[in-house]
Amino acid sequence: MAKDSEFIWCVVERGTGRLVGAQAVTRKADDPAAASVGWWTVQEQRGRGYTVEAARAVARWALTDLGLRRLQWLAYVGNDGSRAVAERVGYRYEGTLRSYADQRGVFRDAWVASLLPADLDRRTGPDQD
């Protein structure tokens, strides 16, 4: 993999250092000004806002410091937790990719949304500032 093409962070709880989850940004090989994002959260840590806070920080870093023009989020249809994070961060839903990716031998549909630099200060959801 090319240098500066993938960035992964562990998200930990302040004070305790307990693992909350992980965040990732992976530049697209055919378009290095765009990247895919993803997050994972420990089941016991879900619903506390940690993933949203980390996803906002990662997005701001990627779209400003790294200078990307587009972040893209994908999740299998039905992953409502991941979709809720994307919506609260400000990702704009773009559609459903039918039969997009193989998951354990079954091709599944996936949701897709994007975040652009102009979207950074546009927030949705109950945690608006």
Side-chain angles (χ1 to χ4, degrees):
M1 186 168 288
K3 183 181 179 205
D4 295 335
S5 62
E6 187 170 34
F7 306 88
I8 301 171
W9 296 266
C10 287
V11 180
V12 296
E13 191 175 51
R14 286 186 189 112
T16 68
R18 280 188 290 216
L19 180 66
V20 170
Q23 302 265 328
V25 172
T26 306
R27 285 187 195 216
K28 296 181 170 290
D30 61 340
D31 184 359
S36 294
V37 298
W39 39 78
W40 166 82
T41 309
V42 173
Q43 187 170 351
E44 296 79 22
Q45 299 285 6
R46 294 177 186 164
R48 297 181 180 183
Y50 295 131
T51 303
V52 171
E53 180 182 355
R56 280 190 183 129
V58 166
R60 185 165 298 283
W61 173 82
L63 293 171
T64 57
D65 296 353
L66 199 55
L68 298 181
R69 66 168 176 77
R70 174 184 169 89
L71 291 176
Q72 180 173 289
W73 163 86
L74 289 162
Y76 291 122
V77 169
N79 188 342
D80 296 321
S82 185
R83 184 171 179 160
V85 171
E87 289 173 349
R88 289 176 71 184
V89 172
Y91 282 80
R92 293 187 183 197
Y93 179 73
E94 295 180 335
T96 301
L97 303 172
R98 298 181 325 146
S99 191
Y100 179 75
D102 181 329
Q103 184 185 36
R104 298 181 199 97
V106 176
F107 276 87
R108 305 245 339 249
D109 295 349
W111 290 319
V112 61
S114 68
L115 189 72
L116 307 180
D119 299 329
L120 282 176
D121 294 320
R122 183 184 69 81
R123 293 188 182 177
T124 60
D127 62 343
Q128 288 181 306
D129 291 337

